[in-house]
Amino acid sequence: MKGKQLAGQYTFFIIFWIGAVFGFISNEWLQPLMGVRSQVMWTLDAAFFVLACCMVRRWQLWIPLLVLLSVSWVVTCLINGLPLLFWLNGVREFIGITLVYPVVCSFCDDEASREHFLRQLNRQLLIFLFIQAFCILYQFLYYGEAGDLGGGSYGWFYSGQVSVSIYLVSFYLLQSRINSNRLFRSLNDNKLLLILLLPTFFNETKISFVMLALYIVLLLPIDRKLLLRLVWGLPLAAALLWGAVQLYVLTTNSHVQGNRFESFEDLAAYFMLEDVEEAEGDAKWNIENSSKGIADVPRLTKVFYLPLLNEQEPGHVLTGFGIGHFKGGTSMATSEFADEYDWLLMGSIPYAFHIYIQLGLMGLALLIVFWLWVFFVPPRRQVQRRLNVQILLAFTVMIMACYIDVFRNLSFCMIFFSLMAASWIDKPAETE
């Protein structure tokens, strides 16, 4: 194994850990660091770009970033007339989604490098699960509630991201250890990975129920016996989900009485307001009357408001408003569009909404092409899929498109695309 590969992999994990724990450390223990968060994230983005320049040699792997740079520059600077520095700041949000997978694929180009990276990855991911358990339980006990501050090591307001991360990591590690012919014994032998899922019910994240259901079903091998396994697997999944719901109700009802779902109307209101046309007035009222000066327009309301936005701001359906509107406010000023529609751009942002606002329908089309490339073009020859892992990752992509914009976060992308690359395994050698 070449020294360059070894140095690159260690740099990869150093960047990951700084980004993954900085939020918790600065929020909980060293709060003066919160003032330099922007500079730290800038440094990590720049460091990862340099890492990519050093490690990625196959020109095909640079295509996603080159397409993004060219398209976004035209849309942002030429069509929407925004400054070059504003565009560069917006590019940062796409470093993870365009460059992490090429870097990880480069680590897996030769057998020695791949084995070393996967060995290190498994070890780091297990440590990641233990750290999340500590951080989430600390936040739950310290703040006395299961809420947005339970973001694990990512810090405040990353509760959804940390829960999704935990399910992906636990599932990947379990899949590499499980014996499908001895499923229950394998689960018992690796029960620690199941126990480490429990913290996801101490941060009031509803997506945990969806991820848990997928987790349970996809533990079953996809083969001819799948239907037979579902006969006993589905009742077991239902029982585990019922227990998860009870744990969720226990933690949230005990501490956040104002956020209970006692009817279908409560659940519907979580995702969408009854009258989309009232979204702006309702959000601005919340901003003015909230102690934190923020509003969180329901996710589906954001999506259904887009036709009204297109009427108010015509000419942006195809190409969007340019990248960078979700950045700024610390070291760089926000755009006029972001100032006017701050009520719409704050809070929980579905990733598809994030892309549409900045790059329009063209951006969504490019995003679909990108995901098709990731899931259907093998990174090297003579490989096969770990199908269950890739199905979970594919469902995660679809869910996040409607849920939260986790692919803006470099550390999350480092987890997701590492698992994606690891899910392509070498085919067993043919024997005569």
Side-chain angles (χ1 to χ4, degrees), residues 95-335:
I95 291 292
I97 197 171
T98 58
L99 284 183
V100 171
Y101 191 54
V103 168
V104 176
C105 287
S106 298
F107 291 155
C108 299
D109 276 343
D110 65 82
E111 184 177 355
S113 175
R114 182 168 62 254
E115 289 182 357
H116 181 269
F117 176 73
L118 295 180
R119 193 163 54 246
Q120 290 296 319
L121 178 67
N122 292 349
R123 183 177 302 133
Q124 303 294 333
L125 291 179
L126 184 59
I127 295 172
F128 176 83
L129 289 180
F130 278 106
I131 288 177
Q132 303 319 310
F134 167 78
C135 291
I136 293 175
L137 292 177
Y138 174 94
Q139 290 159 337
F140 176 75
L141 295 173
Y142 185 81
Y143 295 106
E145 66 177 33
D148 291 337
L149 300 185
S153 70
Y154 294 124
W156 297 340
F157 309 114
Y158 285 92
S159 57
Q161 178 172 300
V162 74
S163 291
V164 173
S165 300
I166 289 171
Y167 279 99
L168 293 181
V169 170
S170 174
F171 186 83
Y172 164 76
L173 293 176
L174 187 58
Q175 276 286 307
S176 64
R177 304 177 183 188
I178 204 167
N179 183 338
S180 59
N181 296 321
R182 296 180 173 181
L183 186 59
F184 284 110
R185 176 178 244 177
S186 295
L187 293 176
N188 183 63
D189 292 342
N190 296 281
K191 55 182 173 291
L192 177 61
L193 293 174
L194 301 177
I195 294 173
L196 290 172
L197 296 176
L198 290 176
T200 63
F201 297 97
F202 288 85
N203 65 358
E204 202 222 348
T205 306
K206 291 82 178 174
I207 196 63
S208 295
F209 298 113
V210 179
M211 297 301 296
L212 179 59
L214 291 170
Y215 188 106
I216 296 170
V217 172
L218 289 173
L219 281 177
L220 304 176
I222 301 175
D223 54 24
R224 296 177 182 177
K225 298 180 180 179
L226 178 60
L227 290 178
L228 181 62
R229 292 190 179 100
L230 287 175
V231 171
W232 55 263
L234 289 179
L236 176 61
L240 290 174
L241 281 173
W242 181 86
V245 170
Q246 300 309 306
L247 179 59
Y248 174 86
V249 170
L250 177 65
T251 57
T252 56
N253 283 4
S254 297
H255 301 280
V256 283
Q257 297 288 341
N259 200 16
R260 298 174 61 176
F261 293 150
E262 299 179 338
S263 66
F264 177 78
E265 288 74 17
D266 293 338
L267 182 62
Y270 174 73
F271 291 101
M272 184 173 175
L273 296 176
E274 291 184 7
D275 190 349
V276 175
E277 294 183 355
E278 298 295 326
E280 181 176 0
D282 183 73
K284 289 183 175 179
W285 185 91
N286 286 329
I287 292 174
E288 294 174 359
N289 293 275
S290 169
S291 59
K292 299 179 181 178
I294 60 175
D296 192 357
V297 178
R299 295 171 176 85
L300 289 182
T301 301
K302 284 183 167 74
V303 174
F304 283 101
Y305 190 84
L306 290 177
L308 296 177
L309 178 64
N310 295 331
E311 291 179 6
Q312 297 165 4
E313 306 286 343
H316 296 275
V317 174
L318 182 61
T319 59
F321 296 87
I323 65 173
H325 298 291
F326 293 89
K327 302 289 290 182
T330 52
S331 57
M332 183 173 291
T334 56
S335 65

